[in-house]
Amino acid sequence: MRLDGKVAFITGAGMGVGRATCLLFAYEGARIVAVDINSEAGEETVHLVKKRGGKAIFVNCDVADEQEVKKAIETGVKAFGKLNILFNNAGVLWRDKDFEVTRTDEATWDKVMAINLKGTVWVCKYGIRELIKQGGGAIVNIGSGTALMGFTVAQDAYTASKGALASLTRSLAVVYAKDRVRANIIHPGPVDTPMQKEWDDETRQAISEWVPLGRLATAEDIACCGLFLASDESAYITGTELIVDGGIMAKGR
Ligand SMILES: NC(=O)c1ccc[n+]([C@@H]2O[C@H](COP(=O)([O-])OP(=O)(O)OC[C@H]3O[C@@H](n4cnc5c(N)ncnc54)[C@H](O)[C@@H]3O)[C@@H](O)[C@H]2O)c1
């Protein structure tokens, strides 16, 4: 029960890393505010949490919309009385329109930034004050290994949004340290989730061979690291970037 008594606000809760995090955090004693733009998926996550004896509510919210995020935070506080953890995980990777900059249109760029970067900004804007009311708390942002290295096949809006999240995380960590609010970011490598459903068997095999640990990450691999950063076990860690990529960065190309 490493999160006993805590309330966690988790975005992108409907599937992948978000769903795994909701299940793990609830197992560890947290009550969950599960936020997603996809109601069916988000409700299913809440159903799974409850089936295992946990407590959760679903809130439909587009994290790109400041007013919707404000309302979602209010709904979470109303339901469980407080917030202790902000887990900023909602993100999009649009391989069909997010390319290298010379081929990416402005609408795509702006929308990816609105979801991947500004979504976290809005959650922090309205959520940090709730953490402060509790005498502190933990922010866990989900970045990406793509923020740390270039690829010849690029999704530059995605990459830049994740790089900006890393900078934002450092700033949050320093500004709110006096309020005992910690902020850290996880940079996952390739994770086996619905986001990567386009990968065929051959691609999955090639990626697995490229990763020193020889496999894709599971959503649970990322959720476990999120648990550490959200719990008091990491009480002295803030402003850090945790690379969870099976050794890719250590190996280089
Ligand atoms: N899967 C990977 O290989 C990988 C690698 C590095 C980083 N990441 C990052 O991890 C995070 C989770 O990724 P995943 O693989 O679980 O993704 P996923 O696509 O499997 O799930 C993302 C969830 O976010 C929700 N979402 C999308 N847009 C939203 C919005 N505007 N408002 C609210 N919810 C929204 C979706 O409905 C979905 O439930 C993302 O930030 C992603 O960029 C993933």
Side-chain angles (χ1 to χ4, degrees):
M1 298 295 260
R2 292 151 79 188
L3 299 180
D4 196 22
K6 309 274 190 199
V7 179
F9 186 94
I10 299 175
T11 69
M15 57 191 83
V17 173
R19 174 174 287 176
T21 303
C22 289
L23 291 170
L24 181 64
F25 282 22
Y27 178 79
E28 293 288 344
R31 284 165 289 166
I32 309 295
V33 184
V35 175
D36 207 289
I37 199 170
N38 179 335
S39 289
E40 201 183 330
E43 295 280 15
E44 177 60 16
T45 297
V46 167
H47 171 70
L48 291 169
V49 169
K50 288 182 175 168
K51 213 168 104 181
R52 298 175 186 195
K55 289 197 176 69
I57 58 158
F58 171 67
V59 186
N60 181 285
C61 167
D62 177 356
V63 295
D65 185 318
E66 179 176 358
Q67 289 313 311
E68 285 192 25
V69 172
K70 182 170 182 279
K71 262 197 242 156
I73 295 277
E74 287 166 359
T75 305
V77 172
K78 210 169 156 198
F80 294 130
K82 61 173 184 169
L83 296 178
N84 307 102
I85 297 159
L86 307 176
F87 192 87
N88 289 303
N89 163 77
V92 290
L93 172 65
W94 290 331
R95 289 194 178 86
D96 58 337
K97 48 191 172 185
D98 182 3
F99 308 115
E100 64 275 21
V101 287
T102 44
R103 288 197 298 141
T104 303
D105 63 42
E106 188 178 8
T108 300
W109 186 273
D110 287 348
K111 192 68 195 167
V112 171
M113 287 293 168
I115 297 168
N116 291 8
L117 177 58
K118 283 205 300 192
T120 294
V121 171
W122 304 143
V123 171
C124 289
K125 179 169 176 180
Y126 297 101
I128 285 175
R129 62 181 70 156
E130 299 301 329
L131 303 190
I132 292 173
K133 280 184 205 165
Q134 300 309 315
I139 300 170
V140 181
N141 295 330
I142 301 297
S144 170
T146 63
L148 306 173
M149 61 202 293
F151 291 85
T152 48
V153 178
Q155 284 89 36
D156 275 337
Y158 180 86
T159 297
S161 72
K162 296 298 190 178
L165 271 182
S167 305
L168 176 67
T169 305
R170 281 191 290 274
S171 184
L172 292 169
V174 171
V175 171
Y176 297 102
K178 65 181 184 320
D179 301 304
R180 297 168 55 98
V181 172
R182 300 182 297 107
N184 294 291
I185 187 164
I186 295 173
H187 291 305
V191 192
D192 196 1
T193 67
M195 179 176 273
Q196 307 296 14
K197 60 183 179 301
E198 292 148 38
W199 287 342
D200 57 19
D201 287 348
E202 202 180 320
T203 308
R204 293 164 64 90
Q205 183 60 31
I207 294 170
S208 298
E209 281 168 17
W210 175 54
V211 176
L213 283 180
R215 63 171 177 87
L216 304 173
T218 63
E220 290 73 20
D221 286 324
I222 310 306
C224 285
C225 297
L227 172 62
F228 170 63
L229 291 175
S231 77
D232 293 341
E233 288 165 21
S234 59
Y236 202 60
I237 299 179
T238 196
T240 208
E241 297 177 62
L242 182 56
I243 299 169
V244 186
D245 69 351
I248 294 171
M249 287 297 295
K251 175 184 166 189
R253 296 302 163 100

mmCIF file of all heavy atoms in Angstrom, residues 113-161:
data_model
loop_
_atom_site.group_PDB
_atom_site.id
_atom_site.type_symbol
_atom_site.label_atom_id
_atom_site.label_comp_id
_atom_site.label_asym_id
_atom_site.label_seq_id
_atom_site.Cartn_x
_atom_site.Cartn_y
_atom_site.Cartn_z
ATOM 1 N N MET A 113 0.784 19.942 -29.909
ATOM 2 C CA MET A 113 1.272 20.734 -28.769
ATOM 3 C C MET A 113 0.153 20.947 -27.742
ATOM 4 O O MET A 113 0.386 20.903 -26.531
ATOM 5 C CB MET A 113 1.764 22.109 -29.256
ATOM 6 C CG MET A 113 3.067 22.047 -29.984
ATOM 7 S SD MET A 113 4.407 21.577 -28.848
ATOM 8 C CE MET A 113 5.685 21.236 -30.030
ATOM 9 N N ALA A 114 -1.057 21.186 -28.244
ATOM 10 C CA ALA A 114 -2.189 21.455 -27.340
ATOM 11 C C ALA A 114 -2.465 20.251 -26.447
ATOM 12 O O ALA A 114 -2.776 20.397 -25.265
ATOM 13 C CB ALA A 114 -3.430 21.817 -28.145
ATOM 14 N N ILE A 115 -2.356 19.058 -27.009
ATOM 15 C CA ILE A 115 -2.633 17.851 -26.208
ATOM 16 C C ILE A 115 -1.406 17.478 -25.366
ATOM 17 O O ILE A 115 -1.480 17.373 -24.136
ATOM 18 C CB ILE A 115 -3.034 16.669 -27.126
ATOM 19 C CG1 ILE A 115 -4.334 17.008 -27.875
ATOM 20 C CG2 ILE A 115 -3.191 15.377 -26.310
ATOM 21 C CD1 ILE A 115 -4.672 16.049 -29.002
ATOM 22 N N ASN A 116 -0.278 17.291 -26.033
ATOM 23 C CA ASN A 116 0.893 16.711 -25.347
ATOM 24 C C ASN A 116 1.561 17.678 -24.373
ATOM 25 O O ASN A 116 2.072 17.254 -23.337
ATOM 26 C CB ASN A 116 1.942 16.273 -26.376
ATOM 27 C CG ASN A 116 1.496 15.078 -27.193
ATOM 28 O OD1 ASN A 116 0.349 14.655 -27.113
ATOM 29 N ND2 ASN A 116 2.392 14.529 -27.990
ATOM 30 N N LEU A 117 1.569 18.956 -24.713
ATOM 31 C CA LEU A 117 2.260 19.926 -23.855
ATOM 32 C C LEU A 117 1.273 20.735 -23.014
ATOM 33 O O LEU A 117 1.332 20.726 -21.779
ATOM 34 C CB LEU A 117 3.135 20.853 -24.716
ATOM 35 C CG LEU A 117 3.877 21.965 -23.976
ATOM 36 C CD1 LEU A 117 4.786 21.401 -22.890
ATOM 37 C CD2 LEU A 117 4.689 22.811 -24.963
ATOM 38 N N LYS A 118 0.328 21.393 -23.696
ATOM 39 C CA LYS A 118 -0.582 22.260 -22.939
ATOM 40 C C LYS A 118 -1.500 21.454 -22.019
ATOM 41 O O LYS A 118 -1.920 21.941 -20.973
ATOM 42 C CB LYS A 118 -1.386 23.153 -23.883
ATOM 43 C CG LYS A 118 -0.536 24.330 -24.397
ATOM 44 C CD LYS A 118 -1.315 25.550 -24.834
ATOM 45 C CE LYS A 118 -2.279 25.380 -25.911
ATOM 46 N NZ LYS A 118 -2.799 26.621 -26.488
ATOM 47 N N GLY A 119 -1.800 20.214 -22.388
ATOM 48 C CA GLY A 119 -2.609 19.372 -21.496
ATOM 49 C C GLY A 119 -1.981 19.293 -20.115
ATOM 50 O O GLY A 119 -2.658 19.438 -19.090
ATOM 51 N N THR A 120 -0.681 19.084 -20.091
ATOM 52 C CA THR A 120 0.042 19.022 -18.811
ATOM 53 C C THR A 120 0.054 20.390 -18.129
ATOM 54 O O THR A 120 -0.073 20.492 -16.908
ATOM 55 C CB THR A 120 1.473 18.502 -19.052
ATOM 56 O OG1 THR A 120 1.385 17.146 -19.485
ATOM 57 C CG2 THR A 120 2.328 18.581 -17.805
ATOM 58 N N VAL A 121 0.190 21.434 -18.940
ATOM 59 C CA VAL A 121 0.181 22.789 -18.372
ATOM 60 C C VAL A 121 -1.139 23.044 -17.644
ATOM 61 O O VAL A 121 -1.156 23.526 -16.510
ATOM 62 C CB VAL A 121 0.387 23.844 -19.488
ATOM 63 C CG1 VAL A 121 0.164 25.253 -18.948
ATOM 64 C CG2 VAL A 121 1.778 23.709 -20.099
ATOM 65 N N TRP A 122 -2.262 22.690 -18.276
ATOM 66 C CA TRP A 122 -3.571 22.962 -17.640
ATOM 67 C C TRP A 122 -3.756 22.117 -16.376
ATOM 68 O O TRP A 122 -4.246 22.603 -15.365
ATOM 69 C CB TRP A 122 -4.726 22.701 -18.615
ATOM 70 C CG TRP A 122 -4.652 23.469 -19.898
ATOM 71 C CD1 TRP A 122 -5.007 23.021 -21.134
ATOM 72 C CD2 TRP A 122 -4.214 24.828 -20.094
ATOM 73 N NE1 TRP A 122 -4.798 23.996 -22.082
ATOM 74 C CE2 TRP A 122 -4.314 25.101 -21.473
ATOM 75 C CE3 TRP A 122 -3.736 25.825 -19.249
ATOM 76 C CZ2 TRP A 122 -3.957 26.344 -22.018
ATOM 77 C CZ3 TRP A 122 -3.372 27.066 -19.784
ATOM 78 C CH2 TRP A 122 -3.485 27.306 -21.143
ATOM 79 N N VAL A 123 -3.346 20.854 -16.449
ATOM 80 C CA VAL A 123 -3.479 20.007 -15.250
ATOM 81 C C VAL A 123 -2.658 20.607 -14.109
ATOM 82 O O VAL A 123 -3.111 20.686 -12.963
ATOM 83 C CB VAL A 123 -3.045 18.553 -15.541
ATOM 84 C CG1 VAL A 123 -2.976 17.732 -14.250
ATOM 85 C CG2 VAL A 123 -4.007 17.883 -16.529
ATOM 86 N N CYS A 124 -1.464 21.067 -14.427
ATOM 87 C CA CYS A 124 -0.622 21.667 -13.386
ATOM 88 C C CYS A 124 -1.207 23.000 -12.916
ATOM 89 O O CYS A 124 -1.199 23.299 -11.716
ATOM 90 C CB CYS A 124 0.806 21.859 -13.902
ATOM 91 S SG CYS A 124 1.673 20.293 -14.103
ATOM 92 N N LYS A 125 -1.728 23.778 -13.864
ATOM 93 C CA LYS A 125 -2.270 25.092 -13.498
ATOM 94 C C LYS A 125 -3.349 24.964 -12.422
ATOM 95 O O LYS A 125 -3.371 25.728 -11.466
ATOM 96 C CB LYS A 125 -2.839 25.782 -14.740
ATOM 97 C CG LYS A 125 -3.439 27.141 -14.466
ATOM 98 C CD LYS A 125 -3.745 27.909 -15.736
ATOM 99 C CE LYS A 125 -4.433 29.222 -15.418
ATOM 100 N NZ LYS A 125 -4.738 29.998 -16.624
ATOM 101 N N TYR A 126 -4.238 23.991 -12.590
ATOM 102 C CA TYR A 126 -5.345 23.845 -11.638
ATOM 103 C C TYR A 126 -5.083 22.782 -10.572
ATOM 104 O O TYR A 126 -5.702 22.812 -9.512
ATOM 105 C CB TYR A 126 -6.647 23.549 -12.402
ATOM 106 C CG TYR A 126 -7.002 24.711 -13.295
ATOM 107 C CD1 TYR A 126 -6.722 24.666 -14.672
ATOM 108 C CD2 TYR A 126 -7.521 25.885 -12.770
ATOM 109 C CE1 TYR A 126 -6.985 25.745 -15.488
ATOM 110 C CE2 TYR A 126 -7.789 26.986 -13.583
ATOM 111 C CZ TYR A 126 -7.513 26.901 -14.942
ATOM 112 O OH TYR A 126 -7.758 27.987 -15.739
ATOM 113 N N GLY A 127 -4.158 21.875 -10.851
ATOM 114 C CA GLY A 127 -3.908 20.783 -9.914
ATOM 115 C C GLY A 127 -2.891 21.120 -8.842
ATOM 116 O O GLY A 127 -3.016 20.658 -7.700
ATOM 117 N N ILE A 128 -1.892 21.933 -9.178
ATOM 118 C CA ILE A 128 -0.817 22.198 -8.198
ATOM 119 C C ILE A 128 -1.377 22.869 -6.942
ATOM 120 O O ILE A 128 -0.971 22.548 -5.821
ATOM 121 C CB ILE A 128 0.311 23.034 -8.846
ATOM 122 C CG1 ILE A 128 1.136 22.142 -9.778
ATOM 123 C CG2 ILE A 128 1.214 23.665 -7.776
ATOM 124 C CD1 ILE A 128 2.203 22.854 -10.583
ATOM 125 N N ARG A 129 -2.350 23.751 -7.128
ATOM 126 C CA ARG A 129 -2.909 24.424 -5.938
ATOM 127 C C ARG A 129 -3.557 23.402 -4.997
ATOM 128 O O ARG A 129 -3.561 23.584 -3.781
ATOM 129 C CB ARG A 129 -3.891 25.526 -6.352
ATOM 130 C CG ARG A 129 -5.093 25.025 -7.117
ATOM 131 C CD ARG A 129 -6.035 26.145 -7.543
ATOM 132 N NE ARG A 129 -5.478 26.984 -8.588
ATOM 133 C CZ ARG A 129 -6.205 27.709 -9.449
ATOM 134 N NH1 ARG A 129 -7.520 27.708 -9.375
ATOM 135 N NH2 ARG A 129 -5.628 28.453 -10.367
ATOM 136 N N GLU A 130 -4.087 22.316 -5.573
ATOM 137 C CA GLU A 130 -4.693 21.266 -4.735
ATOM 138 C C GLU A 130 -3.597 20.479 -4.001
ATOM 139 O O GLU A 130 -3.771 20.115 -2.837
ATOM 140 C CB GLU A 130 -5.546 20.317 -5.592
ATOM 141 C CG GLU A 130 -6.705 20.992 -6.298
ATOM 142 C CD GLU A 130 -7.678 21.670 -5.335
ATOM 143 O OE1 GLU A 130 -7.822 21.183 -4.200
ATOM 144 O OE2 GLU A 130 -8.275 22.702 -5.715
ATOM 145 N N LEU A 131 -2.478 20.238 -4.673
ATOM 146 C CA LEU A 131 -1.360 19.555 -4.003
ATOM 147 C C LEU A 131 -0.849 20.423 -2.846
ATOM 148 O O LEU A 131 -0.568 19.916 -1.753
ATOM 149 C CB LEU A 131 -0.220 19.273 -4.983
ATOM 150 C CG LEU A 131 -0.509 18.458 -6.252
ATOM 151 C CD1 LEU A 131 0.804 18.083 -6.945
ATOM 152 C CD2 LEU A 131 -1.303 17.198 -5.966
ATOM 153 N N ILE A 132 -0.738 21.707 -3.111
ATOM 154 C CA ILE A 132 -0.217 22.623 -2.081
ATOM 155 C C ILE A 132 -1.140 22.617 -0.846
ATOM 156 O O ILE A 132 -0.668 22.617 0.297
ATOM 157 C CB ILE A 132 -0.029 24.043 -2.659
ATOM 158 C CG1 ILE A 132 1.111 24.033 -3.691
ATOM 159 C CG2 ILE A 132 0.259 25.059 -1.547
ATOM 160 C CD1 ILE A 132 1.300 25.326 -4.462
ATOM 161 N N LYS A 133 -2.442 22.572 -1.104
ATOM 162 C CA LYS A 133 -3.393 22.525 0.032
ATOM 163 C C LYS A 133 -3.134 21.319 0.932
ATOM 164 O O LYS A 133 -3.460 21.325 2.109
ATOM 165 C CB LYS A 133 -4.838 22.414 -0.492
ATOM 166 C CG LYS A 133 -5.445 23.719 -0.951
ATOM 167 C CD LYS A 133 -6.906 23.461 -1.353
ATOM 168 C CE LYS A 133 -7.367 24.504 -2.348
ATOM 169 N NZ LYS A 133 -8.611 24.121 -3.036
ATOM 170 N N GLN A 134 -2.572 20.254 0.353
ATOM 171 C CA GLN A 134 -2.297 19.027 1.118
ATOM 172 C C GLN A 134 -0.884 19.032 1.705
ATOM 173 O O GLN A 134 -0.408 18.010 2.202
ATOM 174 C CB GLN A 134 -2.478 17.783 0.232
ATOM 175 C CG GLN A 134 -3.872 17.626 -0.341
ATOM 176 C CD GLN A 134 -4.953 17.724 0.727
ATOM 177 O OE1 GLN A 134 -4.837 17.135 1.794
ATOM 178 N NE2 GLN A 134 -5.998 18.500 0.440
ATOM 179 N N GLY A 135 -0.189 20.154 1.575
ATOM 180 C CA GLY A 135 1.167 20.245 2.111
ATOM 181 C C GLY A 135 2.211 19.678 1.169
ATOM 182 O O GLY A 135 3.345 19.404 1.559
ATOM 183 N N GLY A 136 1.830 19.490 -0.101
ATOM 184 C CA GLY A 136 2.777 18.987 -1.110
ATOM 185 C C GLY A 136 2.180 17.842 -1.892
ATOM 186 O O GLY A 136 1.027 17.448 -1.659
ATOM 187 N N GLY A 137 2.972 17.319 -2.823
ATOM 188 C CA GLY A 137 2.478 16.215 -3.646
ATOM 189 C C GLY A 137 3.472 15.905 -4.743
ATOM 190 O O GLY A 137 4.590 16.430 -4.749
ATOM 191 N N ALA A 138 3.046 15.031 -5.647
ATOM 192 C CA ALA A 138 3.962 14.584 -6.706
ATOM 193 C C ALA A 138 3.329 14.757 -8.085
ATOM 194 O O ALA A 138 2.173 14.401 -8.303
ATOM 195 C CB ALA A 138 4.322 13.119 -6.487
ATOM 196 N N ILE A 139 4.132 15.312 -8.989
ATOM 197 C CA ILE A 139 3.741 15.398 -10.397
ATOM 198 C C ILE A 139 4.641 14.425 -11.155
ATOM 199 O O ILE A 139 5.864 14.451 -10.994
ATOM 200 C CB ILE A 139 3.960 16.816 -10.948
ATOM 201 C CG1 ILE A 139 3.130 17.835 -10.176
ATOM 202 C CG2 ILE A 139 3.628 16.878 -12.450
ATOM 203 C CD1 ILE A 139 3.479 19.290 -10.495
ATOM 204 N N VAL A 140 4.017 13.558 -11.952
ATOM 205 C CA VAL A 140 4.783 12.663 -12.823
ATOM 206 C C VAL A 140 4.341 12.944 -14.250
ATOM 207 O O VAL A 140 3.166 12.772 -14.588
ATOM 208 C CB VAL A 140 4.550 11.177 -12.473
ATOM 209 C CG1 VAL A 140 5.386 10.290 -13.394
ATOM 210 C CG2 VAL A 140 4.884 10.893 -11.012
ATOM 211 N N ASN A 141 5.262 13.416 -15.063
ATOM 212 C CA ASN A 141 4.955 13.674 -16.466
ATOM 213 C C ASN A 141 5.514 12.543 -17.322
ATOM 214 O O ASN A 141 6.550 11.952 -16.998
ATOM 215 C CB ASN A 141 5.558 15.016 -16.898
ATOM 216 C CG ASN A 141 4.917 16.189 -16.170
ATOM 217 O OD1 ASN A 141 3.744 16.126 -15.804
ATOM 218 N ND2 ASN A 141 5.681 17.248 -15.943
ATOM 219 N N ILE A 142 4.814 12.256 -18.417
ATOM 220 C CA ILE A 142 5.310 11.221 -19.319
ATOM 221 C C ILE A 142 5.855 11.889 -20.582
ATOM 222 O O ILE A 142 5.117 12.514 -21.346
ATOM 223 C CB ILE A 142 4.203 10.202 -19.680
ATOM 224 C CG1 ILE A 142 3.660 9.535 -18.411
ATOM 225 C CG2 ILE A 142 4.753 9.142 -20.633
ATOM 226 C CD1 ILE A 142 4.670 8.703 -17.619
ATOM 227 N N GLY A 143 7.162 11.771 -20.737
ATOM 228 C CA GLY A 143 7.845 12.307 -21.913
ATOM 229 C C GLY A 143 8.003 11.216 -22.947
ATOM 230 O O GLY A 143 7.086 10.436 -23.213
ATOM 231 N N SER A 144 9.205 11.132 -23.521
ATOM 232 C CA SER A 144 9.501 10.079 -24.499
ATOM 233 C C SER A 144 10.991 10.080 -24.787
ATOM 234 O O SER A 144 11.635 11.137 -24.778
ATOM 235 C CB SER A 144 8.742 10.351 -25.801
ATOM 236 O OG SER A 144 9.203 9.472 -26.814
ATOM 237 N N GLY A 145 11.505 8.893 -25.092
ATOM 238 C CA GLY A 145 12.885 8.804 -25.540
ATOM 239 C C GLY A 145 13.132 9.657 -26.779
ATOM 240 O O GLY A 145 14.258 10.114 -27.010
ATOM 241 N N THR A 146 12.079 9.913 -27.546
ATOM 242 C CA THR A 146 12.259 10.722 -28.767
ATOM 243 C C THR A 146 12.620 12.174 -28.436
ATOM 244 O O THR A 146 13.045 12.913 -29.317
ATOM 245 C CB THR A 146 10.999 10.710 -29.648
ATOM 246 O OG1 THR A 146 9.926 11.309 -28.920
ATOM 247 C CG2 THR A 146 10.611 9.321 -30.078
ATOM 248 N N ALA A 147 12.419 12.570 -27.194
ATOM 249 C CA ALA A 147 12.813 13.929 -26.791
ATOM 250 C C ALA A 147 14.327 14.032 -26.655
ATOM 251 O O ALA A 147 14.879 15.124 -26.571
ATOM 252 C CB ALA A 147 12.153 14.286 -25.463
ATOM 253 N N LEU A 148 15.001 12.886 -26.617
ATOM 254 C CA LEU A 148 16.429 12.863 -26.286
ATOM 255 C C LEU A 148 17.326 12.518 -27.473
ATOM 256 O O LEU A 148 18.539 12.602 -27.376
ATOM 257 C CB LEU A 148 16.663 11.846 -25.155
ATOM 258 C CG LEU A 148 15.808 12.036 -23.903
ATOM 259 C CD1 LEU A 148 16.011 10.886 -22.936
ATOM 260 C CD2 LEU A 148 16.120 13.363 -23.227
ATOM 261 N N MET A 149 16.719 12.074 -28.563
ATOM 262 C CA MET A 149 17.540 11.720 -29.731
ATOM 263 C C MET A 149 16.742 11.934 -31.021
ATOM 264 O O MET A 149 15.512 11.852 -31.025
ATOM 265 C CB MET A 149 18.035 10.270 -29.625
ATOM 266 C CG MET A 149 16.951 9.229 -29.583
ATOM 267 S SD MET A 149 17.485 7.653 -28.843
ATOM 268 C CE MET A 149 18.656 7.056 -30.028
ATOM 269 N N GLY A 150 17.444 12.213 -32.115
ATOM 270 C CA GLY A 150 16.762 12.396 -33.393
ATOM 271 C C GLY A 150 16.615 11.068 -34.124
ATOM 272 O O GLY A 150 17.382 10.126 -33.911
ATOM 273 N N PHE A 151 15.600 10.996 -34.976
ATOM 274 C CA PHE A 151 15.380 9.802 -35.806
ATOM 275 C C PHE A 151 15.217 10.252 -37.256
ATOM 276 O O PHE A 151 14.652 11.316 -37.512
ATOM 277 C CB PHE A 151 14.109 9.059 -35.362
ATOM 278 C CG PHE A 151 14.233 8.406 -34.020
ATOM 279 C CD1 PHE A 151 13.985 9.126 -32.853
ATOM 280 C CD2 PHE A 151 14.609 7.070 -33.902
ATOM 281 C CE1 PHE A 151 14.110 8.529 -31.607
ATOM 282 C CE2 PHE A 151 14.739 6.471 -32.663
ATOM 283 C CZ PHE A 151 14.490 7.202 -31.509
ATOM 284 N N THR A 152 15.662 9.447 -38.186
ATOM 285 C CA THR A 152 15.526 9.844 -39.599
ATOM 286 C C THR A 152 14.064 9.865 -40.030
ATOM 287 O O THR A 152 13.669 10.665 -40.880
ATOM 288 C CB THR A 152 16.331 8.899 -40.522
ATOM 289 O OG1 THR A 152 16.037 7.552 -40.161
ATOM 290 C CG2 THR A 152 17.826 9.159 -40.413
ATOM 291 N N VAL A 153 13.248 8.984 -39.448
ATOM 292 C CA VAL A 153 11.798 9.080 -39.653
ATOM 293 C C VAL A 153 11.263 9.840 -38.443
ATOM 294 O O VAL A 153 11.270 9.318 -37.325
ATOM 295 C CB VAL A 153 11.146 7.687 -39.749
ATOM 296 C CG1 VAL A 153 9.640 7.819 -39.910
ATOM 297 C CG2 VAL A 153 11.740 6.900 -40.914
ATOM 298 N N ALA A 154 10.832 11.082 -38.709
ATOM 299 C CA ALA A 154 10.548 11.972 -37.576
ATOM 300 C C ALA A 154 9.063 12.250 -37.403
ATOM 301 O O ALA A 154 8.302 12.265 -38.372
ATOM 302 C CB ALA A 154 11.282 13.290 -37.781
ATOM 303 N N GLN A 155 8.665 12.449 -36.142
ATOM 304 C CA GLN A 155 7.384 13.086 -35.805
ATOM 305 C C GLN A 155 7.775 14.293 -34.966
ATOM 306 O O GLN A 155 7.825 14.227 -33.742
ATOM 307 C CB GLN A 155 6.482 12.136 -35.002
ATOM 308 C CG GLN A 155 5.810 11.058 -35.818
ATOM 309 C CD GLN A 155 6.650 9.798 -35.935
ATOM 310 O OE1 GLN A 155 7.330 9.425 -34.989
ATOM 311 N NE2 GLN A 155 6.607 9.173 -37.085
ATOM 312 N N ASP A 156 8.051 15.405 -35.645
ATOM 313 C CA ASP A 156 8.707 16.514 -34.953
ATOM 314 C C ASP A 156 7.817 17.249 -33.957
ATOM 315 O O ASP A 156 8.315 17.762 -32.951
ATOM 316 C CB ASP A 156 9.290 17.498 -35.971
ATOM 317 C CG ASP A 156 10.685 17.053 -36.423
ATOM 318 O OD1 ASP A 156 11.342 16.305 -35.682
ATOM 319 O OD2 ASP A 156 11.113 17.472 -37.521
ATOM 320 N N ALA A 157 6.517 17.313 -34.231
ATOM 321 C CA ALA A 157 5.638 17.972 -33.253
ATOM 322 C C ALA A 157 5.629 17.147 -31.963
ATOM 323 O O ALA A 157 5.760 17.694 -30.862
ATOM 324 C CB ALA A 157 4.226 18.118 -33.813
ATOM 325 N N TYR A 158 5.496 15.842 -32.106
ATOM 326 C CA TYR A 158 5.515 14.934 -30.947
ATOM 327 C C TYR A 158 6.833 15.094 -30.186
ATOM 328 O O TYR A 158 6.853 15.303 -28.967
ATOM 329 C CB TYR A 158 5.344 13.495 -31.435
ATOM 330 C CG TYR A 158 5.344 12.452 -30.346
ATOM 331 C CD1 TYR A 158 4.179 12.118 -29.669
ATOM 332 C CD2 TYR A 158 6.516 11.784 -29.995
ATOM 333 C CE1 TYR A 158 4.182 11.148 -28.670
ATOM 334 C CE2 TYR A 158 6.525 10.816 -28.997
ATOM 335 C CZ TYR A 158 5.356 10.499 -28.341
ATOM 336 O OH TYR A 158 5.364 9.546 -27.349
ATOM 337 N N THR A 159 7.936 15.007 -30.933
ATOM 338 C CA THR A 159 9.267 15.082 -30.323
ATOM 339 C C THR A 159 9.465 16.402 -29.577
ATOM 340 O O THR A 159 9.922 16.427 -28.430
ATOM 341 C CB THR A 159 10.328 14.940 -31.428
ATOM 342 O OG1 THR A 159 10.178 13.643 -32.003
ATOM 343 C CG2 THR A 159 11.734 15.097 -30.897
ATOM 344 N N ALA A 160 9.083 17.505 -30.238
ATOM 345 C CA ALA A 160 9.272 18.822 -29.617
ATOM 346 C C ALA A 160 8.363 18.988 -28.404
ATOM 347 O O ALA A 160 8.752 19.589 -27.395
ATOM 348 C CB ALA A 160 9.015 19.922 -30.646
ATOM 349 N N SER A 161 7.153 18.438 -28.484
ATOM 350 C CA SER A 161 6.238 18.547 -27.330
ATOM 351 C C SER A 161 6.833 17.818 -26.127
ATOM 352 O O SER A 161 6.748 18.295 -24.987
ATOM 353 C CB SER A 161 4.856 17.992 -27.670
ATOM 354 O OG SER A 161 4.868 16.574 -27.780
#
